Amino acid sequence: MSENYYDIYIKLLQRYGAQSWWPADTPFEMLIGSILVQNTSWRNVEKAMEQLKPFLSPEQIEKLTQEELARLIRPSGFFNVKAKRIKAFIAWFRLYDYEVENLKKRDREEIRNELLGINGIGRETADVMLLYAFDKPIFVVDAYARRIFYRLGNDMPVSYDGFRFILEKELPLDLLLMNEYHALLVEHAKVHCKSNPICNGCPLFDLCARRLE
Ligand code: SF4
Protein backbone atom coordinates (compact mmCIF):
# COMPACT_ATOMS: atom_id res chain seq x y z
CA MET A 1 0.00 0.00 0.00
CA SER A 2 1.25 3.46 -0.83
CA GLU A 3 0.29 6.77 0.62
CA ASN A 4 3.17 8.57 -0.99
CA TYR A 5 1.25 10.72 -3.41
CA TYR A 6 4.38 12.44 -4.68
CA ASP A 7 6.00 9.10 -5.62
CA ILE A 8 2.86 8.19 -7.54
CA TYR A 9 3.01 11.50 -9.38
CA ILE A 10 6.68 11.04 -10.30
CA LYS A 11 6.15 7.50 -11.54
CA LEU A 12 3.24 8.59 -13.72
CA LEU A 13 5.19 11.57 -15.05
CA GLN A 14 8.19 9.39 -15.88
CA ARG A 15 6.02 6.91 -17.75
CA TYR A 16 3.59 9.17 -19.61
CA GLY A 17 5.52 12.47 -19.78
CA ALA A 18 4.04 15.95 -19.32
CA GLN A 19 0.46 16.08 -20.58
CA SER A 20 0.32 19.90 -20.87
CA TRP A 21 -3.45 20.15 -20.38
CA TRP A 22 -6.19 21.35 -20.90
CA PRO A 23 -6.81 20.38 -24.55
CA ALA A 24 -8.18 23.74 -25.77
CA ASP A 25 -6.97 26.65 -27.91
CA THR A 26 -8.07 29.40 -25.51
CA PRO A 27 -9.03 29.70 -21.81
CA PHE A 28 -12.62 30.42 -22.87
CA GLU A 29 -12.76 27.23 -24.92
CA MET A 30 -11.41 25.41 -21.85
CA LEU A 31 -14.18 26.84 -19.67
CA ILE A 32 -16.92 25.82 -22.08
CA GLY A 33 -15.31 22.41 -22.58
CA SER A 34 -15.40 21.79 -18.83
CA ILE A 35 -19.20 22.11 -18.89
CA LEU A 36 -19.64 20.12 -22.11
CA VAL A 37 -17.61 17.20 -20.74
CA GLN A 38 -20.00 16.62 -17.82
CA ASN A 39 -21.36 13.06 -18.11
CA THR A 40 -19.91 12.38 -21.54
CA SER A 41 -16.71 11.44 -23.34
CA TRP A 42 -14.15 13.88 -24.70
CA ARG A 43 -14.90 12.59 -28.20
CA ASN A 44 -18.45 13.95 -27.91
CA VAL A 45 -17.13 17.25 -26.59
CA GLU A 46 -14.93 17.57 -29.67
CA LYS A 47 -17.94 17.05 -31.94
CA ALA A 48 -19.95 19.69 -30.08
CA MET A 49 -16.99 22.07 -30.06
CA GLU A 50 -16.63 21.72 -33.82
CA GLN A 51 -20.18 23.02 -34.27
CA LEU A 52 -19.78 25.69 -31.62
CA LYS A 53 -16.43 26.97 -32.91
CA PRO A 54 -17.83 29.83 -35.07
CA PHE A 55 -19.63 31.18 -31.96
CA LEU A 56 -16.89 30.57 -29.43
CA SER A 57 -16.73 33.88 -27.60
CA PRO A 58 -18.78 34.97 -24.57
CA GLU A 59 -20.39 37.80 -26.55
CA GLN A 60 -21.53 35.50 -29.36
CA ILE A 61 -22.81 32.81 -27.04
CA GLU A 62 -24.72 35.46 -25.15
CA LYS A 63 -26.47 36.47 -28.37
CA LEU A 64 -27.61 32.90 -29.07
CA THR A 65 -30.91 31.81 -27.60
CA GLN A 66 -30.74 28.86 -25.23
CA GLU A 67 -32.44 26.72 -27.90
CA GLU A 68 -29.91 27.72 -30.57
CA LEU A 69 -27.06 26.94 -28.20
CA ALA A 70 -28.60 23.59 -27.29
CA ARG A 71 -28.82 22.65 -30.99
CA LEU A 72 -25.14 23.46 -31.52
CA ILE A 73 -23.92 21.42 -28.56
CA ARG A 74 -26.25 18.49 -29.18
CA PRO A 75 -23.38 15.95 -29.70
CA SER A 76 -22.27 16.45 -26.09
CA GLY A 77 -25.51 14.93 -24.72
CA PHE A 78 -27.80 16.48 -22.08
CA PHE A 79 -27.68 19.47 -24.43
CA ASN A 80 -30.68 21.36 -23.02
CA VAL A 81 -29.30 21.17 -19.48
CA LYS A 82 -25.80 22.08 -20.64
CA ALA A 83 -27.06 25.04 -22.71
CA LYS A 84 -28.75 26.37 -19.57
CA ARG A 85 -25.55 25.85 -17.57
CA ILE A 86 -23.40 27.59 -20.16
CA LYS A 87 -25.81 30.54 -20.21
CA ALA A 88 -25.68 30.75 -16.41
CA PHE A 89 -21.89 30.58 -16.48
CA ILE A 90 -21.67 33.34 -19.13
CA ALA A 91 -23.94 35.60 -17.03
CA TRP A 92 -21.50 35.16 -14.12
CA PHE A 93 -18.43 35.63 -16.34
CA ARG A 94 -19.90 38.95 -17.54
CA LEU A 95 -19.43 40.29 -13.99
CA TYR A 96 -15.69 40.03 -14.69
CA ASP A 97 -15.91 41.62 -18.16
CA TYR A 98 -15.32 38.18 -19.67
CA GLU A 99 -11.66 38.52 -18.70
CA VAL A 100 -9.90 35.46 -17.32
CA GLU A 101 -7.14 37.78 -16.06
CA ASN A 102 -9.63 39.51 -13.73
CA LEU A 103 -10.34 36.14 -12.13
CA LYS A 104 -6.70 35.14 -11.83
CA LYS A 105 -6.22 38.09 -9.46
CA ARG A 106 -8.92 36.85 -7.09
CA ASP A 107 -8.58 34.48 -4.16
CA ARG A 108 -9.09 30.79 -4.99
CA GLU A 109 -11.78 30.14 -2.37
CA GLU A 110 -13.77 33.25 -3.28
CA ILE A 111 -13.94 32.27 -6.95
CA ARG A 112 -14.68 28.65 -6.04
CA ASN A 113 -17.64 29.67 -3.88
CA GLU A 114 -19.00 31.87 -6.65
CA LEU A 115 -18.61 29.08 -9.23
CA LEU A 116 -20.40 26.63 -6.93
CA GLY A 117 -23.27 29.09 -6.73
CA ILE A 118 -23.86 28.83 -10.51
CA ASN A 119 -26.58 26.40 -11.54
CA GLY A 120 -25.01 23.14 -12.70
CA ILE A 121 -21.41 23.90 -11.72
CA GLY A 122 -20.37 21.24 -9.24
CA ARG A 123 -17.07 20.80 -7.44
CA GLU A 124 -15.28 18.89 -10.18
CA THR A 125 -16.25 21.39 -12.89
CA ALA A 126 -15.41 24.37 -10.65
CA ASP A 127 -12.03 22.90 -9.83
CA VAL A 128 -10.99 22.18 -13.41
CA MET A 129 -11.97 25.77 -14.25
CA LEU A 130 -9.88 27.05 -11.34
CA LEU A 131 -6.92 24.88 -12.30
CA TYR A 132 -6.85 25.12 -16.08
CA ALA A 133 -8.30 28.59 -16.78
CA PHE A 134 -7.76 30.68 -13.65
CA ASP A 135 -4.30 29.35 -12.71
CA LYS A 136 -5.30 28.29 -9.18
CA PRO A 137 -3.55 25.16 -7.88
CA ILE A 138 -6.17 22.68 -6.67
CA PHE A 139 -6.47 18.88 -6.71
CA VAL A 140 -9.31 17.74 -8.96
CA VAL A 141 -11.19 14.71 -7.64
CA ASP A 142 -12.81 12.67 -10.39
CA ALA A 143 -13.93 9.08 -10.89
CA TYR A 144 -10.50 8.14 -12.27
CA ALA A 145 -8.68 9.47 -9.20
CA ARG A 146 -11.11 7.58 -6.97
CA ARG A 147 -10.64 4.35 -8.90
CA ILE A 148 -6.84 4.54 -8.98
CA PHE A 149 -6.31 5.47 -5.32
CA TYR A 150 -8.78 2.82 -4.20
CA ARG A 151 -6.97 0.13 -6.18
CA LEU A 152 -3.61 1.33 -4.90
CA GLY A 153 -4.93 0.60 -1.41
CA ASN A 154 -5.55 4.10 -0.10
CA ASP A 155 -8.76 4.51 1.90
CA MET A 156 -9.84 7.94 0.75
CA PRO A 157 -12.72 9.95 2.21
CA VAL A 158 -16.05 9.61 0.43
CA SER A 159 -16.60 13.37 0.39
CA TYR A 160 -15.15 15.33 -2.52
CA ASP A 161 -13.43 17.93 -0.38
CA GLY A 162 -12.20 15.37 2.17
CA PHE A 163 -10.43 13.53 -0.66
CA ARG A 164 -9.05 16.79 -2.06
CA PHE A 165 -7.77 18.02 1.33
CA ILE A 166 -5.67 14.87 1.81
CA LEU A 167 -3.91 15.30 -1.52
CA GLU A 168 -3.42 19.03 -0.96
CA LYS A 169 -1.97 18.38 2.51
CA GLU A 170 0.52 15.83 1.21
CA LEU A 171 1.62 17.61 -1.97
CA PRO A 172 3.13 21.01 -2.71
CA LEU A 173 0.29 23.34 -3.75
CA ASP A 174 2.00 24.02 -7.04
CA LEU A 175 0.11 24.95 -10.21
CA LEU A 176 2.14 22.84 -12.63
CA LEU A 177 2.13 19.81 -10.35
CA MET A 178 -1.65 19.94 -9.83
CA ASN A 179 -2.20 20.54 -13.54
CA GLU A 180 -0.10 17.52 -14.49
CA TYR A 181 -1.29 15.25 -11.67
CA HIS A 182 -4.93 15.36 -12.78
CA ALA A 183 -4.01 14.90 -16.45
CA LEU A 184 -1.65 12.01 -15.64
CA LEU A 185 -4.30 10.20 -13.58
CA VAL A 186 -6.71 10.49 -16.52
CA GLU A 187 -4.04 9.13 -18.87
CA HIS A 188 -3.24 6.27 -16.47
CA ALA A 189 -6.92 5.37 -16.19
CA LYS A 190 -7.12 5.14 -19.97
CA VAL A 191 -3.89 3.24 -20.58
CA HIS A 192 -3.46 0.87 -17.61
CA CYS A 193 -5.94 1.36 -14.77
CA LYS A 194 -9.03 0.91 -16.97
CA SER A 195 -12.29 -0.62 -15.74
CA ASN A 196 -10.56 -3.93 -16.49
CA PRO A 197 -7.02 -3.01 -15.46
CA ILE A 198 -3.91 -3.97 -17.37
CA CYS A 199 -1.59 -4.45 -14.39
CA ASN A 200 1.17 -6.01 -16.45
CA GLY A 201 3.68 -3.25 -17.15
CA CYS A 202 1.86 -0.69 -14.97
CA PRO A 203 4.18 2.07 -13.70
CA LEU A 204 2.52 1.84 -10.25
CA PHE A 205 2.70 -1.95 -10.00
CA ASP A 206 5.24 -1.98 -7.12
CA LEU A 207 3.15 0.49 -5.06
CA CYS A 208 -0.20 -1.09 -5.72
CA ALA A 209 -2.38 -3.30 -3.51
CA ARG A 210 -4.38 -4.20 -6.65
CA ARG A 211 -7.60 -3.93 -4.70
CA LEU A 212 -9.96 -4.84 -7.53
CA GLU A 213 -13.14 -5.94 -5.75
S1 SF4 B 1 -1.24 -2.29 -10.82
FE1 SF4 B 1 -3.22 -2.53 -11.82
S2 SF4 B 1 -4.75 -1.87 -10.30
FE2 SF4 B 1 -2.74 -1.07 -9.68
S3 SF4 B 1 -2.62 0.99 -10.55
FE3 SF4 B 1 -1.65 -0.42 -12.00
S4 SF4 B 1 -3.30 -1.00 -13.45
FE4 SF4 B 1 -4.28 -0.09 -11.61
Side-chain angles (χ1 to χ4, degrees):
M1 177 170 118
S2 170
E3 287 179 356
N4 192 330
Y5 303 103
Y6 192 71
D7 277 1
I8 293 166
Y9 167 71
I10 293 296
K11 282 180 187 293
L12 293 175
L13 186 63
Q14 284 170 341
R15 170 62 62 87
Y16 301 113
Q19 302 295 299
S20 308
W21 269 27
W22 177 283
D25 291 336
T26 64
F28 184 67
E29 184 178 324
M30 182 277 137
L31 290 162
I32 298 303
S34 71
I35 296 174
L36 292 179
V37 80
Q38 293 172 342
N39 305 307
T40 195
S41 68
W42 188 251
R43 202 179 154 75
N44 290 336
V45 174
E46 285 177 329
K47 288 184 201 157
M49 210 53 105
E50 197 58 38
Q51 301 196 147
L52 192 59
K53 210 90 181 184
F55 306 92
L56 208 49
S57 74
E59 293 84 357
Q60 282 180 289
I61 291 185
E62 197 167 34
K63 280 187 206 149
L64 296 171
T65 64
Q66 198 169 297
E67 293 68 33
E68 288 169 332
L69 178 59
R71 260 199 302 280
L72 288 165
I73 63 168
R74 194 181 183 98
S76 72
F78 305 101
F79 47 91
N80 287 319
V81 173
K82 288 180 184 175
K84 194 172 170 192
R85 290 176 181 176
I86 290 171
K87 284 284 189 184
F89 171 76
I90 299 272
W92 171 79
F93 197 32
R94 194 193 315 125
L95 302 174
Y96 294 92
D97 300 324
Y98 303 135
E99 287 291 344
V100 166
E101 294 305 318
N102 290 340
L103 282 146
K104 286 184 185 175
K105 292 178 205 150
R106 304 264 328 270
D107 174 74
R108 185 186 84 169
E109 293 310 308
E110 283 175 18
I111 312 173
R112 190 171 194 258
N113 286 336
E114 289 186 21
L115 287 170
L116 292 177
I118 301 170
N119 180 277
I121 306 284
R123 287 176 168 76
E124 188 182 330
T125 305
D127 291 351
V128 293
M129 287 178 170
L130 287 165
L131 183 58
Y132 294 106
F134 304 141
D135 288 355
K136 302 294 177 191
I138 195 160
F139 186 88
V140 176
V141 180
D142 66 354
Y144 292 148
R146 286 194 181 280
R147 179 205 288 170
I148 293 167
F149 286 116
Y150 175 80
R151 288 176 175 175
L152 285 168
N154 295 340
D155 291 317
M156 307 304 285
V158 173
S159 84
Y160 182 102
D161 285 322
F163 193 125
R164 180 172 69 84
F165 290 151
I166 287 186
L167 271 292
E168 291 185 5
K169 188 160 69 74
E170 300 293 328
L171 293 166
L173 203 54
D174 174 80
L175 181 60
L176 184 61
L177 185 148
M178 291 295 169
N179 177 321
E180 285 296 338
Y181 211 146
H182 174 59
L184 286 164
L185 287 170
V186 172
E187 184 67 9
H188 185 55
K190 288 181 179 166
V191 177
H192 273 286
C193 210
K194 307 166 176 231
S195 323
N196 292 317
I198 303 171
C199 299
N200 204 3
C202 170
L204 304 181
F205 191 90
D206 292 345
L207 303 173
C208 189
R210 286 177 289 290
R211 192 161 57 167
L212 302 176
E213 73 286 358

